[in-house]
Amino acid sequence: MTTPRTQSTRRHTPAGSRGRTTVSPAVVETTAGLAAAEVPGLRPHPARVESQSRSARARRGVSARVSHGRADIRLDVVADYGVIVPEVAADVRRAVGAAVYARAGVRVDTVDVAVHDVSRPPRPYQPLEEQNR
């Protein structure tokens, strides 16, 4: 004798929604650094490293704190001479926030852009004999 099957009271959970995803600060830092590098006018300031943070990303001027799916990011940069710093910093904030959310699923609460210096943009290559004319 077989017993009739009864409907289970448990709901079926799709495989894609089982478990959880954890994104480390390293992923956020790398994504933020790459997104910031795409915005012309600012470059990383590698000498600005906090004493307790010695990671390669921190040496490239990016640090992030990630907690409960939200991030606070700090970028230490050098501005190219001639750019309007507040405008370029706003462009960086938008680009970083959008990239980190789109690629890592982490919402960005703050993007602090610390401009430490201004430098002349790199000059195009000029042969030595043309420089001496």
Side-chain angles (χ1 to χ4, degrees), residues 12-130:
H12 175 70
T13 306
S17 63
R18 292 182 207 147
R20 63 180 180 184
T21 303
T22 303
V23 178
S24 75
V27 172
V28 172
E29 289 170 351
T30 300
T31 304
L34 292 170
E38 293 178 354
V39 177
L42 297 178
R43 287 177 279 161
H45 189 283
R48 297 296 302 180
V49 180
E50 295 177 16
S51 59
Q52 72 265 29
S53 177
R54 297 282 181 206
S55 72
R57 283 164 297 284
R59 285 191 299 274
R60 287 191 302 256
V62 183
S63 61
R65 285 179 306 194
V66 180
S67 179
H68 305 292
R70 302 189 81 80
D72 294 307
I73 300 168
R74 179 184 167 101
L75 299 164
D76 293 292
V77 298
V78 174
D80 291 339
Y81 178 77
V83 301
I84 300 170
V85 173
E87 289 179 11
V88 175
D91 292 343
V92 167
R93 285 186 186 94
R94 280 190 290 277
V96 166
V100 169
Y101 182 70
R103 290 173 181 80
V106 175
R107 294 206 184 270
V108 177
D109 289 333
T110 60
V111 177
D112 294 327
V113 180
V115 181
H116 294 280
D117 202 356
V118 175
S119 75
R120 198 175 270 184
R123 293 183 181 172
Y125 173 75
Q126 189 177 19
L128 188 58
E129 51 278 352
E130 288 182 23

